[in-house]
């Protein structure tokens, strides 16, 4: 009887261990594919610095999903690991992104510059959301695209999708569009620097205020030298700080809508997801100087690896045939939004001069 009771007591723990083992086995092929893709993206970026590693990770994911040789694996054995990367590694990357931000650097910009950056983000957000509604994009697509275009690309889309409870597959189109337009900015903005009569600092500010992803900002700004790059990165990271209040506002609005719709209290998603709280905690850690340079360097590398794996996972959900079948409406909307934020960013850069 004692042996039977001990076996029964051990069974729950044994079952949990078996479930964890099976879960790891299911995730392993997809996570291994992510590791290879991230290594490839970094390798290509090292050879061609003008191509951001994060953009390459998305492109490799799209290629893997649409090339006959790997498409079957993406839809089969790799699928659990790719979904895990697209959701959980994205959140880990957002948390670690906070280590790149110091409130001291942002405060050094001055109140006028801060006000202009906030105005650009809010106007770009509202304008892009309105365009999404005007072009009748489905579901949360207008909100996700507005968040990605106005703040920090795919990372912002992942944060907003979490607070909205958006399905993984519904983030695919916004990520594809923000990646496409950010890549377009890398090639287009440097060509406009001299025709618009911009000096290096003003050009850097324009890039930081209007390009979506941090890696895309670096790729575009570095074409004008280190002075432009420094100006661009500070303004871009100031935009990134606005991720938390905008996500919190979306969480409050979501809660208000549910209360109004149900007529009473219920179960709600958190106003600010836990990983966004972690993002804010990392900003505080960096600002207070509690993280030594080696930790910051390691955190930066881990952030790029996590986000690269997440973007490969999200890219692998893109089916080119489905995008083409959806028609040019979403693409035209995204290009209009890209032109809007480029114009807003240029106006702000001129006013900061």
């Amino acid at each position: 009887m004692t042996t039977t009771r001990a076996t029964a007591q051990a069974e729950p723990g044994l079952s949990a261990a078996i479930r964890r083992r099976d879960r790891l086995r299911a995730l392993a092929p997809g996570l291994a594919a992510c590791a290879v893709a991230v290594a490839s993206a970094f390798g290509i970026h090292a050879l061609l610095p003008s191509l951001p590693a994060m953009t390459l990770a998305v492109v490799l994911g799209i290629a893997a999903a649409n090339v006959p040789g790997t498409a079957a694996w993406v839809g089969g054995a790799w699928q659990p690991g790719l979904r895990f990367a697209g959701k959980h590694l994205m959140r880990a990357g957002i948390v670690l992104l906070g280590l790149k931000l110091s409130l001291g650097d942002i405060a050094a910009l001055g109140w006028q510059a801060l006000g202009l950056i906030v105005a650009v983000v809010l106007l770009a957000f509202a304008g892009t959301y309105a365009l999404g509604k005007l072009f009748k994009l489905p579901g949360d697509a207008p909100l996700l695209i507005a968040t990605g275009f106005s703040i920090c690309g795919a990372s912002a889309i992942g944060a907003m999708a979490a607070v909205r409870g958006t399905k993984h597959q519904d983030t695919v189109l916004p990520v594809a569009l923000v990646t496409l337009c950010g890549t377009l900015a890398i090639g287009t903005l440097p060509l406009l620097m001299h025709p618009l009569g911009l000096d290096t600092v003003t050009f850097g500010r324009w890039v930081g205020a209007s390009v979506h992803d941090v890696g895309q900002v670096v790729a575009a700004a570095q074409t004008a030298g280190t002075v432009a790059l420094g100006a661009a990165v500070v303004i871009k990271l100031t935009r990134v700080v606005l991720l938390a209040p905008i996500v919190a506002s979306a969480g409050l609005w979501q809660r208000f809508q549910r209360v109004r719709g149900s007529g009473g209290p219920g179960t709600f998603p958190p106003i600010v997801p836990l990983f966004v709280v972690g993002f804010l905690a990392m900003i505080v850690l960096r600002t207070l100087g509690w993280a030594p340079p080696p930790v910051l360097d390691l955190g930066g590398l881990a952030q790029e690896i996590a986000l690269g794996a997440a973007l490969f996972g999200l890219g692998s959900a893109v089916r080119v045939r489905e995008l083409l079948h959806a028609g040019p409406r979403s693409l035209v909307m995204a290009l209009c939004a890209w032109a809007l934020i480029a114009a807003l960013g240029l106006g702000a850069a001129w006013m900061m001069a």
Side-chain angles (χ1 to χ4, degrees):
M1 182 179 297
T2 302
T3 303
T4 304
R5 185 180 302 167
T7 302
Q9 291 174 347
E11 281 181 356
L14 183 61
S15 299
I18 293 173
R19 286 195 299 270
R20 285 195 298 269
R21 183 193 64 192
D22 292 343
R23 174 69 170 162
L24 289 174
R25 285 181 175 176
L27 295 176
L31 292 179
C34 288
V36 172
V38 170
S40 301
F42 277 112
I44 297 171
H45 173 67
L47 295 173
L48 300 170
S50 61
L51 298 179
M54 299 302 102
T55 299
L56 289 168
V58 177
V59 171
L60 289 173
I62 296 173
N66 293 276
V67 172
T70 56
W73 295 338
V74 168
W78 292 1
Q79 191 64 22
L82 295 175
R83 286 186 174 274
F84 178 89
K87 180 178 180 179
H88 297 288
L89 294 186
M90 171 66 77
R91 296 180 180 185
I94 293 172
V95 171
L96 293 171
L97 180 61
L99 288 174
K100 295 185 176 181
L101 307 176
S102 170
L103 296 180
D105 292 338
I106 294 170
L109 289 171
W111 290 110
Q112 181 185 7
L114 289 175
L116 287 170
I117 294 167
V118 172
V120 167
V121 170
L122 294 179
L123 290 172
F125 183 92
T128 303
Y129 182 78
L131 284 169
K133 289 295 187 182
L134 180 65
F135 280 81
K136 298 181 180 179
L137 298 190
D140 285 339
L143 179 63
L144 297 180
I145 294 171
T147 307
F149 272 61
S150 62
I151 304 177
C152 57
S155 300
I157 290 171
M160 185 61 76
V163 79
R164 291 286 298 179
T166 307
K167 294 180 180 178
H168 174 82
Q169 59 266 31
D170 293 336
T171 66
V172 169
L173 178 63
V175 169
L177 292 176
V178 79
T179 302
L180 173 64
C181 290
T183 304
L184 181 64
I186 295 170
T188 303
L189 267 58
L191 296 177
L192 296 175
M193 177 180 173
H194 294 298
L196 292 173
L198 304 179
D199 58 35
T200 54
V201 174
T202 304
F203 173 73
R205 289 169 175 168
W206 181 31
V207 172
S210 57
V211 180
H212 315 316
D213 181 78
V214 176
Q216 294 165 344
V217 166
V218 172
Q222 70 183 1
T223 60
T226 56
V227 174
L229 179 59
V233 169
V234 171
I235 290 179
K236 174 59 192 176
L237 295 181
T238 303
R239 286 170 59 198
V240 174
V241 172
L242 296 174
L243 175 64
I246 286 183
V247 167
S249 299
L252 285 169
W253 179 247
Q254 177 92 335
R255 183 168 296 209
F256 170 74
Q257 285 185 314
R258 290 197 179 186
V259 169
R260 187 176 62 177
S262 63
T267 302
F268 304 103
I271 295 174
V272 180
L274 186 60
F275 67 91
V276 176
V277 175
F279 165 75
L280 294 173
M282 293 300 104
I283 295 176
V284 173
L285 192 67
R286 170 68 182 265
T287 302
L288 295 176
W290 291 350
V295 172
L296 295 178
D297 292 341
L298 183 60
L301 177 60
Q303 186 266 334
E304 291 185 347
I305 292 172
L307 190 56
L311 291 176
F312 177 75
L314 290 175
S316 70
V318 175
R319 301 296 184 272
V320 173
R321 285 185 180 180
E322 294 178 8
L323 289 181
L324 294 176
H325 181 71
R329 184 175 57 192
S330 58
L331 178 59
V332 173
M333 176 266 161
L335 292 175
C336 290
W338 175 70
L340 171 66
I341 192 171
L344 290 170
L346 181 59
W350 271 330
M351 293 176 70
M352 291 180 203

